[in-house]
Amino acid sequence: MAGLRPYQEEVVQRALRGENAIIWLPTGGGKTRAAVHVARRHLEVTPGARVAVLVNRIHLVDQHYENEFKTALQDFRLAPISGDSGQKDFFGCMVKDFDVIICTAQILENALVSTEEEKHVELTDFTLLIIDECHHTHKEGVYNKIMARYVEKKLRREEGLPQILGLTASPGTGGSKTIKHAVEHVLKICANLDSVIVSTKNYIPQLKDVVPSPRKEYKIANKRISDPFGDHLKNMMKMVHEFMDVTMIFSAFGTQEYEAEVVNLEKEGVQVENRLWAQCAVHLRTYNDALLINDAVRMVDALQVVEDFYASRTATEIDGTDFFLSGLFQENRVELRLLASTVCYENPNLDRLERTLLEQFSKPSKCIIFVKTRLIAHCLLGWVCANVQLQNAKIKAAVLTGAGTGANNMSQVHQKDTIEQFRGDALNLLISTSVGEEGLDIPECNMVVRYGLLTNEIAQQQASGRARAQGSIYAVVAREGGRELQREKLNEYLEELTAKAVAEVQWRSMKLQKDAVWCRMLNEQSRQERRHRFGAEQVQLSCRKCFTSVAQGSDMRLIENSHHVNVNPDFKNHYRSGGQVRLERDFEEWEPGRTISCQKCGNDWGMEIKFKKGPVLPCLSIKSFSLKTPQGIILPKKWKDVEFPVEDFVLADYILDTFPDLDIY
């Protein structure tokens, strides 16, 4: 293994002495290389050493294993374990057989709470925990769950706890704008990780040589003089408001604030079973999404959002509200198409982005454009591919978004393949969501473009760190006087504030640790009380779209602490099955079946799952339902927020209930 640079040697000293520490180095500064050095020394001098490297994204497991730890620690036994690996079910056994485990934090958390001997581990089974991107150790994140357990044990003076080594490029300010509160934020991270934060003091010039700051340029677009397409959408939205006849005061159409308001209106409509409000709110949110797309990309992209929405709702009208809303769109469809095809009204931001790219790609370059959403990323790719001048400039573009199962998500294999193509000659432009800001092993870029983004200083620092090539540019494309420009300026101040806060932080976090433990205990007690607020038989599940009552809370069971299924055989009368669900990976205990939706209104309810090659059970998405309780209707976002207990699924009990005459013993 190559030696460390002087600034890396400086920041690892406390960790080499066995102290808990957070290494703060910029993206590209070699945090992981420093952590590998600490791990090797620890393994060499610590009897019975066991090291766990925790990451917050699945793809980072193999990335850290292949690119950093495997070669440097070839004298030791290493095992990468992720959600894709069957080894996770034998995590406890793996820990005994290997010196270094590289895994997602969720796998360790699952093993800590598991009662299965093959899977269960204790924190004391490890002698060193390395926590990547440790600024995520806050709120109810999985890093914080693990460290909360650690701190509680330490305050009880338990022996044998592992050493902690955190890694971060951007601790941030926690949204604070004053040095006092920024210091408190950094201290809280230190308290949560039971660590002191360290950065280089003696080798700052050398660090800047290794990680040069890109030249920042503001690419200011002209204001949009006329937007008849957007105006037409707004007029349609006004007609929906008049149809609703509500007295609420709303924010301006086409803003994030308005989106939040119509989301709340939909919730309120469901809670009071006012279908007029609930459905109008759903349609208004779609129009607002179209306005946001219109503000970021092309008019045709915005129109496509609306057309796709109405195409998905064919033959689902059940009352006058539905007929009005679908009729409104059909009556205006031709006019919207005509306006969307009028080039003179197109988005001036695109013209500024085009000039920025043409200037950069006049010479061989690698570039990343960061955008807010997956949908905007795909729309922008469509624009690049359709732009003759950009194609003549030999721009070869692709989208990079997060992994998942949705229509605009990428599989991890596709992610990896896209990055490899970008590393070679097949691609020279990535259009990325925030997934490309942090963690992924993306090659050096000549230019990073932030396009239409309102994000915090951490995201800005992470994105800037991608522009690592000599003479690289960090460009901000924004409208003159726009909110994006104001936020970018604020982030510059917050980035400086972060550095000042870290410089002021001393080892004085014990009180914060005790306060945090006390708060967690109270929160957990409150959560348990809420979970038993109502009996399961007191709660009715109703379709969130048509308000039809379809199940009781007592019909629900929990599989593997994650899948909420309905075991009442009569429930099948309330839904219809759709297409087969395809997932990227296989699961040992279950496999996906078909999509399910409301028999009456077509609302998506989730999917069927086949459990242990046996029963096919409807697995429900809680966001598709409202819950009627003795104290009113509630709308939990996640199953963990429901206020009634859900029993674990027991296969033998299910078989006996379903086939009472069957003797299985």
Side-chain angles (χ1 to χ4, degrees), residues 541 552-558 564-566 620 639 646-647:
L541 279 73
Q552 282 188 311
S554 54
D555 296 333
M556 303 304 301
R557 296 293 185 271
L558 179 61
H564 290 77
V565 298
N566 190 307
L620 306 187
W639 274 106
V646 180
E647 296 180 15

Side-chain angles (χ1 to χ4, degrees), residues 71-95:
T71 302
L73 302 180
Q74 57 186 331
D75 300 336
F76 301 92
R77 298 167 297 172
L78 279 71
I81 305 175
S82 68
D84 292 334
S85 170
Q87 295 171 320
K88 70 181 186 300
D89 294 320
F90 302 95
F91 190 79
C93 301
M94 298 286 292
V95 169

Side-chain angles (χ1 to χ4, degrees), residues 302-315:
L303 177 59
Q304 192 66 52
V305 168
V306 183
E307 290 190 327
D308 288 347
F309 171 77
Y310 281 97
S312 70
R313 299 175 73 87
T314 54

Side-chain angles (χ1 to χ4, degrees), residues 361-394:
F361 282 96
S362 62
K363 54 187 179 293
S365 296
K366 296 279 188 182
C367 176
I368 300 179
I369 303 174
F370 284 109
V371 297
K372 182 179 180 182
T373 67
R374 297 183 180 101
L375 183 55
I376 290 176
H378 284 275
C379 292
L380 205 57
L381 175 64
W383 170 75
V384 170
C385 294
N387 188 298
V388 175
Q389 288 186 280
L390 295 181
Q391 293 305 301
N392 289 340
K394 307 299 182 185

Side-chain angles (χ1 to χ4, degrees), residues 227-281:
D227 182 19
F229 174 81
D231 292 340
H232 198 88
L233 284 177
K234 292 175 183 178
N235 286 332
M236 293 170 66
M237 294 169 76
K238 289 178 183 176
M239 294 175 69
V240 176
H241 275 259
E242 292 170 359
F243 181 72
M244 283 194 301
D245 192 26
V246 293
T247 57
M248 293 173 57
I249 298 176
F250 290 86
S251 298
F253 297 153
T255 62
Q256 297 294 339
E257 291 80 6
Y258 179 81
E259 178 177 333
E261 289 163 0
V262 293
V263 166
N264 287 332
L265 178 62
E266 188 269 343
K267 290 179 181 178
E268 185 177 348
V270 173
Q271 287 174 324
V272 300
E273 296 195 337
N274 184 324
R275 196 166 184 279
L276 170 66
W277 291 2
Q279 287 307 299
C280 285

Side-chain angles (χ1 to χ4, degrees), residues 63-328:
Q63 181 175 299
H64 279 345
Y65 174 73
E66 294 289 345
N67 298 353
E68 299 286 355
F69 286 86
K70 182 179 178 181
T71 302
L73 302 180
Q74 57 186 331
D75 300 336
F76 301 92
R77 298 167 297 172
L78 279 71
I81 305 175
S82 68
D84 292 334
S85 170
Q87 295 171 320
K88 70 181 186 300
D89 294 320
F90 302 95
F91 190 79
C93 301
M94 298 286 292
V95 169
K96 294 175 183 177
D97 293 338
F98 288 86
D99 303 310
V100 180
I101 297 290
I102 304 173
C103 65
T104 57
Q106 189 62 57
I107 286 180
L108 175 58
E109 171 65 12
N110 292 345
L112 289 170
V113 301
S114 175
T115 57
E116 300 175 26
E117 183 178 352
E118 295 83 2
K119 185 182 293 187
H120 180 74
V121 296
E122 295 286 346
L123 283 173
T124 50
D125 291 332
F126 301 97
T127 55
L128 173 64
L129 290 185
I130 298 174
I131 302 178
D132 190 38
E133 307 293 359
C134 69
H135 52 273
H136 291 297
T137 310
H138 61 88
K139 298 182 180 178
E140 294 186 8
V142 64
Y143 279 165
N144 215 26
K145 290 179 181 178
I146 294 170
M147 285 309 303
R149 193 175 285 108
Y150 176 99
V151 170
E152 288 170 19
K153 289 178 178 292
K154 179 176 180 178
L155 293 177
R156 291 199 299 264
R157 302 184 184 278
E158 292 191 21
E159 299 291 334
L161 290 172
Q163 179 187 352
I164 303 297
L165 177 62
L167 309 175
T168 184
S170 45
T173 65
S176 304
K177 298 179 178 62
T178 66
I179 186 65
K180 177 187 174 188
H181 293 109
V183 166
E184 289 176 357
H185 170 74
V186 176
L187 270 172
K188 186 65 180 294
I189 292 177
C190 290
N192 290 345
L193 287 158
D194 191 42
S195 300
V196 61
I197 190 166
V198 292
S199 59
T200 183
K201 296 179 181 177
N202 301 319
Y203 298 98
I204 294 176
Q206 291 91 329
L207 176 60
K208 289 183 176 180
D209 287 341
V210 174
V211 190
S213 297
R215 184 174 78 254
K216 190 165 191 175
E217 296 182 358
Y218 286 97
K219 309 291 186 178
I220 308 302
N222 296 326
K223 289 186 177 180
R224 203 170 194 161
I225 298 174
S226 181
D227 182 19
F229 174 81
D231 292 340
H232 198 88
L233 284 177
K234 292 175 183 178
N235 286 332
M236 293 170 66
M237 294 169 76
K238 289 178 183 176
M239 294 175 69
V240 176
H241 275 259
E242 292 170 359
F243 181 72
M244 283 194 301
D245 192 26
V246 293
T247 57
M248 293 173 57
I249 298 176
F250 290 86
S251 298
F253 297 153
T255 62
Q256 297 294 339
E257 291 80 6
Y258 179 81
E259 178 177 333
E261 289 163 0
V262 293
V263 166
N264 287 332
L265 178 62
E266 188 269 343
K267 290 179 181 178
E268 185 177 348
V270 173
Q271 287 174 324
V272 300
E273 296 195 337
N274 184 324
R275 196 166 184 279
L276 170 66
W277 291 2
Q279 287 307 299
C280 285
V282 170
H283 289 245
L284 286 168
R285 183 177 182 182
T286 299
Y287 286 125
N288 198 66
D289 287 342
L291 287 173
L292 292 170
I293 293 293
N294 181 52
D295 194 51
V297 207
R298 299 172 297 183
M299 294 180 288
V300 292
D301 299 313
L303 177 59
Q304 192 66 52
V305 168
V306 183
E307 290 190 327
D308 288 347
F309 171 77
Y310 281 97
S312 70
R313 299 175 73 87
T314 54
T316 61
E317 292 91 349
I318 62 176
D319 63 15
T321 297
D322 295 326
F323 289 114
F324 168 79
L325 292 168
S326 61
L328 178 66

